[in-house]
Amino acid sequence: MWSCCYSHAQLSRDFYKQSCPSLFYVVRREVQRAVNRDRRMAASLLRLFFHDCFVNGCDGSILLDDTSSSMGEKTAGPNNNSVRGFDVVDKIKSRVERLCPGVVSCADILAIIARDSVLLLGGPGWSVKLGRRDSTTASFSTANSGVIPPPTSTLNNLINRFRAQGLTSRDMVALSGAHTIGQARCVTFRDRIYNESTNIELSFALARQRSCSAASGSSDNNEATLDIHSPGRFDLNYYRQLLNHRGLLTSDQVLYSGGSTDSLVVSYSRSLDVFYRDFVRGMVKMGDIRPLTGSNGEIRNNCRRPN
């Protein structure tokens, strides 16, 4: 049904088995170091993969810097002052290049580090499908066009944006569980904690207001954890929080607000196994979105610029 978006046949789990056998070990070691230095980095690296795949497929385009002739995706609305971890990707890429020069794409590195980040915070593991190649261009305009759902999204918008990528409502709710780790800036939840009265628990709103003022200004970039109970563990507390109307972002709480996805939130709040199963399925499907394979694209030497 979603043949527009997928390329199952061309990606494989043992793509680098011969050409770069130590790849997984080298990447895991560097992700571990980065997360040990900054536990929050795990969420940032996972988010990089999502923001890459939703803009013209999983092609590493988010990693390209601006040039004099083209705008990259880093300064587009959903990414500007928000997406991070590029230096970690650079370090991993340079290690991998030393080991297997010209073999492993930046797009595949993003897929592997997303899996490792989840695993290192106690979440599920999965076999990552590989064989993507890197784009030679980025698209500022596409990244800015709304394909990445904003934190103010309605439930319908979330469902439609994920459906456009070949992902179901179930995939969307499970992948939203990535918000069991990470943080959000005051500007992304200010409206919710001050102007929503029906779908937010009062004490939760008041607590968030202490570090996020009603007027824009010095508190704009103050951060709050998306999961207040266990922000450093990949678990199901995110969904339990939604049942108590403590979703930080509007796009979190709409998953449990009397709509079609309520039953999924309840299901994930009760069973870690069910959440992990659907999250892994969603991640593998997301990794299949419009990859460049065969002779399309290239293997970048430096993730920040085309060869």
Side-chain angles (χ1 to χ4, degrees), residues 104-134:
V104 182
S105 67
C106 301
D108 276 347
I109 287 173
L110 286 180
I112 300 167
I113 63 179
R115 186 269 312 272
D116 287 355
S117 295
V118 170
L119 203 53
L120 288 168
L121 293 195
W126 62 94
S127 295
V128 181
K129 291 163 69 174
L130 301 166
R132 301 168 192 82
R133 289 165 66 82
D134 296 322

Side-chain angles (χ1 to χ4, degrees), residues 13-307:
R13 290 176 167 83
D14 55 3
F15 191 83
Y16 298 109
K17 198 171 184 179
Q18 260 74 51
S19 58
C20 197
S22 316
L23 171 65
F24 291 122
Y25 169 74
V26 170
V27 173
R28 176 77 54 86
R29 189 180 59 193
E30 289 303 324
V31 175
Q32 176 86 68
R33 283 175 179 162
V35 173
N36 285 347
R37 278 194 305 272
D38 173 10
R39 202 159 173 82
R40 196 184 137 214
M41 185 55 72
S44 300
L45 296 175
L46 175 56
R47 188 160 174 254
L48 269 180
F49 186 54
F50 165 47
H51 281 226
D52 184 41
C53 292
F54 265 54
V55 180
N56 295 331
C58 310
D59 61 359
S61 58
I62 195 170
L63 303 173
L64 291 170
D65 284 340
D66 292 350
T67 68
S68 54
S69 57
S70 70
M71 289 276 283
E73 296 165 19
K74 293 180 179 179
T75 54
N79 299 331
N80 198 31
N81 297 322
S82 167
V83 169
R84 60 198 281 273
F86 299 110
D87 51 338
V88 176
V89 177
D90 289 341
K91 185 171 279 188
I92 292 169
K93 175 63 171 172
S94 68
R95 293 266 192 277
V96 171
E97 281 299 304
R98 249 176 278 167
L99 193 71
C100 319
V103 171
V104 182
S105 67
C106 301
D108 276 347
I109 287 173
L110 286 180
I112 300 167
I113 63 179
R115 186 269 312 272
D116 287 355
S117 295
V118 170
L119 203 53
L120 288 168
L121 293 195
W126 62 94
S127 295
V128 181
K129 291 163 69 174
L130 301 166
R132 301 168 192 82
R133 289 165 66 82
D134 296 322
S135 66
T136 54
T137 57
S139 181
F140 176 84
S141 58
T142 305
N144 247 349
S145 69
V147 291
I148 299 170
T152 52
S153 289
T154 62
L155 181 58
N156 273 345
N157 187 48
L158 286 172
I159 290 170
N160 291 335
R161 289 304 182 186
F162 276 72
R163 184 185 290 147
Q165 306 287 355
L167 298 166
T168 64
S169 294
R170 180 179 285 270
D171 296 327
M172 182 272 290
V173 179
L175 290 170
S176 296
H179 284 180
T180 179
I181 56 175
Q183 301 181 328
R185 293 179 302 145
C186 166
V187 286
T188 64
F189 59 83
R190 172 181 280 131
D191 192 53
R192 170 156 164 75
I193 62 172
Y194 284 100
N195 298 325
E196 288 185 31
S197 54
T198 54
N199 211 12
I200 190 165
E201 201 240 5
L202 181 60
S203 65
F204 172 76
L206 292 172
R208 298 284 80 74
Q209 288 174 12
R210 285 203 286 272
S211 58
C212 179
S213 64
S216 59
S218 59
S219 69
D220 284 4
N221 290 320
N222 288 355
E223 290 168 335
T225 55
L226 289 155
D227 173 347
I228 53 177
H229 294 295
S230 51
R233 274 197 74 75
F234 202 93
D235 59 20
L236 47 64
N237 280 326
Y238 166 77
Y239 297 105
R240 291 182 173 168
Q241 207 168 275
L242 299 185
L243 298 183
N244 294 316
H245 305 286
R246 292 179 167 194
L248 184 63
L249 306 176
T250 298
S251 57
D252 291 323
Q253 195 59 57
V254 293
L255 303 179
Y256 186 78
S257 56
S260 60
T261 55
D262 281 18
S263 59
L264 284 168
V265 172
V266 172
S267 173
Y268 297 152
S269 75
R270 290 176 177 166
S271 171
L272 200 58
D273 288 343
V274 174
F275 165 44
Y276 281 179
R277 180 199 69 198
D278 287 356
F279 179 81
V280 166
R281 284 178 184 168
M283 286 297 290
V284 173
K285 278 176 77 174
M286 186 166 73
D288 279 335
I289 298 172
R290 291 172 19 220
L292 297 169
T293 56
S295 59
N296 293 318
E298 64 181 17
I299 306 297
R300 276 183 227 143
N301 301 317
N302 177 333
C303 291
R304 292 176 179 267
R305 54 178 177 267
N307 295 343

